[in-house]
C-alpha cells in the first residue's frame, strides 16, 4: 500500500466506499418480493429480474425463471393444456409400422419446419390429434408460443364477426401470426345424406385462405394441420387452399385410409 501515491489511494478508498453503498442498495433491491405467480423462484423472489453491482452501477438482468414462466404462460394460452399432458411422444402407441412412420416423421419435423408444414389426415382414432399435440408439446418446451385452433368452433366465431372489421382482424390475427399454429379437424363439416362429407362453404374457404396464405408467405411460422380429409379432398374443396397445403406438407404429409385396424381407439 505504501507504494501507492496518496491521490490514487484516496480515489481507491472513495470507490470502495461507493461500492459498499451500491452493494447495499443492490441487496435491498434483491430482497424485495415480486408479484409474479405460477412458479416460486428463490433467486429473484418472483420479480423476474435480478440486480447486481457492476462498477459503480446497479445493473439488472432477466432471471432464469422467466424461461420457465414463459413456458407456463405459453401452455396456459395455447388452448391445449389438458391435451398436452395426455398426448406426448412417450405415450404415443407405435406398435404398427404406420404408427412408427408417423412418430418418426413428427419427431423430425420438430427441428425441420422452416417452410414446411405437418399434415396428419385420415379417419377418426388414428392418433392424428395425439401426434400433432405431441409436436406442440415439444415446441412449447423450446420456448415457442403455440395456439390451438379447433377449426369448426373458431371458424364460426370468425364468420360471426366478419362485418365488424376491427374485431374480425383482431380475432383472425391470432391465428395468422401465431408462432406455432395447430389447426385441428380442418374443414370439418357435417355429412350429407349419402354419408359423404359436405364441402366447406365459400365463407369457410375465405377464412382458411386468409390464415393459411399469410402463413404460407411467412415460412418461419410453424403450421400443423389435422383433418379427416386427404390432400386430394382439400384440393377438391378449394384449389388455392389445397395447393398451398400440398406444397408445404410434401415432406410431412401423413394420411390414413379408413381401416378398422388403424382405429386403435376401437380395440
Ligand atoms: Zn427468478
Amino acid at each position: 500500500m505504501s507504494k501507492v501515491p496518496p491521490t490514487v489511494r484516496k480515489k481507491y478508498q472513495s470507490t470502495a466506499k461507493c461500492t459498499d453503498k451500491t452493494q447495499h442498495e443492490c441487496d435491498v433491491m434483491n430482497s424485495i418480493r415480486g408479484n409474479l405467480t405460477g412458479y416460486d423462484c428463490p433467486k429473484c423472489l418472483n420479480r423476474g429480474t435480478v440486480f447486481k453491482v457492476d462498477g459503480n452501477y446497479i445493473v439488472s438482468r432477466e432471471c432464469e425463471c422467466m424461461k420457465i414462466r414463459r413456458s407456463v404462460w405459453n401452455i396456459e394460452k395455447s388452448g391445449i393444456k389438458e391435451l398436452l399432458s395426455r398426448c406426448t411422444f412417450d405415450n404415443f402407441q407405435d406398435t404398427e409400422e404406420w404408427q412408427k412412420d408417423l412418430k418418426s416423421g413428427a419427431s423430425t419435423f420438430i427441428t425441420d419446419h422452416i417452410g414446411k408444414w405437418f399434415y396428419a389426415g385420415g379417419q377418426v382414432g388414428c392418433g392424428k390429434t395425439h401426434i400433432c399435440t405431441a409436436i406442440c408439446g415439444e415446441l412449447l418446451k423450446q420456448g415457442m408460443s403455440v395456439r390451438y385452433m379447433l377449426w369448426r368452433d373458431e371458424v364460426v366465431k370468425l364468420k360471426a364477426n366478419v362485418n365488424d372489421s376491427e374485431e374480425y382482424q383482431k380475432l383472425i390475427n391470432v391465428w395468422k401470426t401465431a408462432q406455432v399454429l395447430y389447426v385441428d379437424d380442418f374443414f370439418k363439416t357435417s355429412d350429407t345424406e349419402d354419408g359423404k362429407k359436405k364441402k366447406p362453404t365459400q365463407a369457410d374457404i375465405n377464412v382458411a385462405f386468409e390464415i393459411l396464405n399469410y402463413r404460407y408467405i411467412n415460412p418461419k411460422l410453424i403450421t400443423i394441420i389435422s383433418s379427416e380429409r386427404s390432400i386430394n379432398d382439400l384440393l377438391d374443396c378449394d384449389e388455392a387452399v389445397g395447393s398451398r397445403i400440398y406444397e408445404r406438407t410434401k415432406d410431412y404429409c401423413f394420411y390414413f385410409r379408413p381401416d378398422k385396424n388403424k382405429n386403435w381407439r376401437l380395440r
Side-chain angles (χ1 to χ4, degrees):
M1 245 355 216
S2 62
K3 278 180 187 164
V4 179
T7 47
V8 174
R9 199 184 306 157
K10 198 175 168 198
K11 199 173 173 192
Y12 169 80
Q13 280 167 346
S14 84
T15 308
K17 229 187 254 167
C18 181
T19 306
D20 278 353
K21 199 180 151 221
T22 315
Q23 184 61 56
H24 176 71
E25 266 172 43
C26 183
D27 291 345
V28 170
M29 287 162 83
N30 273 329
S31 69
I32 297 169
R33 286 212 150 258
N35 52 13
L36 295 174
T37 54
Y39 173 77
D40 195 22
C41 180
K43 284 186 185 158
C44 68
L45 305 178
N46 302 336
R47 294 181 312 272
T49 322
V50 282
F51 301 99
K52 71 168 199 178
V53 176
D54 183 7
N56 285 332
Y57 299 98
I58 294 174
V59 292
S60 71
R61 65 167 172 78
E62 190 179 276
C63 182
E64 290 151 29
C65 71
M66 289 308 288
K67 255 193 202 158
I68 303 168
R69 291 182 196 284
R70 260 185 223 112
S71 154
V72 172
W73 290 331
N74 282 338
I75 289 171
E76 293 287 343
K77 72 170 190 198
S78 69
I80 40 170
K81 193 180 168 194
E82 294 307 312
L83 270 181
L84 282 166
S85 55
R86 275 190 285 128
C87 305
T88 64
F89 271 95
D90 284 346
N91 65 15
F92 181 76
Q93 186 182 324
D94 62 346
T95 44
E96 309 281 337
E97 267 325 293
W98 65 272
Q99 292 166 332
K100 288 192 173 89
D101 278 356
L102 178 61
K103 189 176 176 178
S104 120
S107 77
T108 312
F109 179 76
I110 289 163
T111 51
D112 178 39
H113 45 63
I114 303 288
K116 296 173 185 181
W117 297 353
F118 189 90
Y119 191 84
Q123 62 176 123
V124 176
C126 67
K128 302 186 304 270
T129 300
H130 187 138
I131 204 71
C132 292
T133 305
I135 296 174
C136 292
E138 290 303 312
L139 296 172
L140 278 160
K141 279 185 203 160
Q142 292 176 18
M144 292 191 197
S145 163
V146 173
R147 299 306 293 250
Y148 172 79
M149 178 185 202
L150 184 58
W151 174 258
R152 240 179 336 174
D153 292 357
E154 299 304 333
V155 79
V156 167
K157 283 183 211 161
L158 285 163
K159 288 188 294 185
N161 284 282
V162 79
N163 292 323
D164 178 351
S165 166
E166 203 177 314
E167 185 60 18
Y168 178 78
Q169 285 309 324
K170 204 174 97 190
L171 289 173
I172 201 164
N173 275 341
V174 170
W175 313 118
K176 280 162 77 173
T177 61
Q179 187 178 19
V180 180
L181 175 65
Y182 169 24
V183 186
D184 191 12
D185 248 345
F186 182 55
F187 274 172
K188 169 89 175 176
T189 54
S190 49
D191 290 347
T192 57
E193 277 168 18
D194 55 354
K196 289 184 178 155
K197 286 181 179 56
K198 272 187 195 161
K199 291 211 165 170
T201 64
Q202 190 56 47
D204 290 352
I205 291 168
N206 292 347
V207 170
F209 184 81
E210 187 172 350
I211 295 168
L212 293 176
N213 189 54
Y214 184 88
R215 305 186 68 82
Y216 178 84
I217 57 179
N218 289 282
K220 281 189 181 164
L221 300 175
I222 303 172
T223 306
I224 300 154
I225 302 168
S226 68
S227 175
E228 284 181 35
R229 296 174 188 270
S230 66
I231 299 284
N232 275 337
D233 200 355
L234 294 181
L235 282 161
D236 264 358
C237 293
D238 184 71
E239 179 106 24
V241 170
S243 63
R244 276 160 180 74
I245 295 176
Y246 169 73
E247 197 191 314
R248 285 288 186 241
T249 61
K250 268 182 195 161
D251 290 353
Y252 298 102
C253 182
F254 298 87
Y255 179 72
F256 309 100
R257 267 173 209 84
D259 169 358
K260 247 190 202 158
N261 292 326
K262 282 184 186 151
N263 194 341
W264 44 262
R265 270 192 215 160
L266 295 176
R267 278 187 194 167

